[in-house]
Amino acid sequence: MKQLAIRSVSAVATLGIVGLALVPLAGAHADRQTRSTATTVQVQGGEFFFKLSTKSVASPRKVTFVFKNVGHVLHDFSINGKKTPLTSPGKKATLIVTFKKKGKFTYICTVPGHAAAGMKGVFTVR
């Protein structure tokens, strides 16, 4: 009887260790999945243009836009209802946007007249 009890305790302890070992693996997989669906886009803006490091992503996801004003006057970057603060020449601003669906999303500089002068474009979520 004692031998059976010891084996049962040993089996439970082994299962407990195996169970604990699986938890980090599941977490690591979740981290890889998040990283693969997060994207950073470098954005340069000046008189009167935007240049993006990529103009599309493969699926709906969180996108971090890092906007650098390479011009000589204040600019901002606006997309999907969010925008950076007005950014001084030579400075950067970060904008995080979560795209929940596929589509084409217009980006602009909201300073009056700047979009009309060329500070606009389309970002695609496939």
Side-chain angles (χ1 to χ4, degrees):
M1 185 84 162
K2 281 185 178 181
Q3 198 173 24
L4 181 60
I6 291 171
R7 285 185 185 159
S8 296
V9 169
S10 177
V12 169
T14 301
L15 287 174
I17 291 170
V18 169
L20 288 175
L22 292 177
V23 172
L25 292 176
H29 176 69
D31 287 345
R32 266 194 310 272
Q33 229 175 3
T34 302
R35 274 190 300 246
S36 69
T37 59
T39 301
T40 299
V41 177
Q42 301 296 323
V43 180
Q44 291 186 343
E47 290 80 44
F48 289 98
F49 69 91
F50 280 118
K51 180 180 177 186
L52 281 65
S53 59
T54 184
K55 291 186 179 183
S56 67
V57 290
S59 62
R61 67 185 66 203
K62 182 188 297 186
V63 178
T64 301
F65 294 95
V66 180
F67 170 64
K68 181 174 183 183
N69 182 349
V70 296
H72 301 288
V73 298
L74 293 172
H75 295 293
D76 64 9
F77 179 79
S78 175
I79 187 167
N80 200 30
K82 296 182 90 176
K83 69 177 186 172
T84 65
L86 285 174
T87 306
S88 297
K91 300 296 182 183
K92 290 183 178 181
T94 300
L95 182 65
I96 299 173
V97 180
T98 300
F99 295 96
K100 296 183 179 183
K101 61 182 182 175
K102 297 177 181 183
K104 295 185 180 289
F105 300 86
T106 300
Y107 56 86
I108 65 168
C109 177
T110 66
V111 174
H114 288 199
M119 290 191 79
K120 62 183 174 184
V122 176
F123 186 79
T124 304
V125 179
R126 300 187 300 270

